[in-house]
Amino acid sequence: MFEQIEQREVVPVAVVSDTQADLLVMTLRANGIEASAPSVSAFPSLDWAEGRAISVQVESAAEAAELLRGLGHETLPPTG
């Protein structure tokens, strides 16, 4: 009756301005990395001062960070 949706852990990989967030999320998705940058995230300490946190699935974090660094963006240190 109800479809169970697999929830996967996400981590922030970068915090960017509002104007950059959507473009970088589209860039990550174009490279096969599921990403999001909600206006309000699960990481509120990153939202208020810095901009929007770009989050990806844990298993894609290293690849996403490498891609963002290649585009000239600072990334957050790995979690865990």
Side-chain angles (χ1 to χ4, degrees):
M1 178 174 212
F2 291 101
E3 180 180 336
Q4 185 169 357
I5 298 172
E6 180 183 353
Q7 293 198 1
R8 301 175 94 170
E9 185 178 356
V10 296
V11 294
V13 290
V15 178
V16 297
S17 71
D18 282 337
T19 56
Q20 295 175 326
D22 293 331
L23 179 61
L24 292 177
V25 166
M26 286 188 290
T27 301
L28 289 168
R29 288 178 180 170
N31 282 277
I33 300 169
E34 192 172 321
S36 64
S39 296
V40 177
S41 76
F43 309 98
S45 62
L46 299 176
D47 293 336
W48 56 273
E50 303 283 337
R52 287 168 53 194
I54 296 178
S55 298
V56 298
Q57 294 174 354
V58 171
E59 58 272 11
S60 301
E63 182 182 2
E66 182 180 344
L67 179 62
L68 292 173
R69 282 191 301 272
L71 294 170
H73 294 277
E74 291 185 31
T75 58
L76 299 172
T79 59

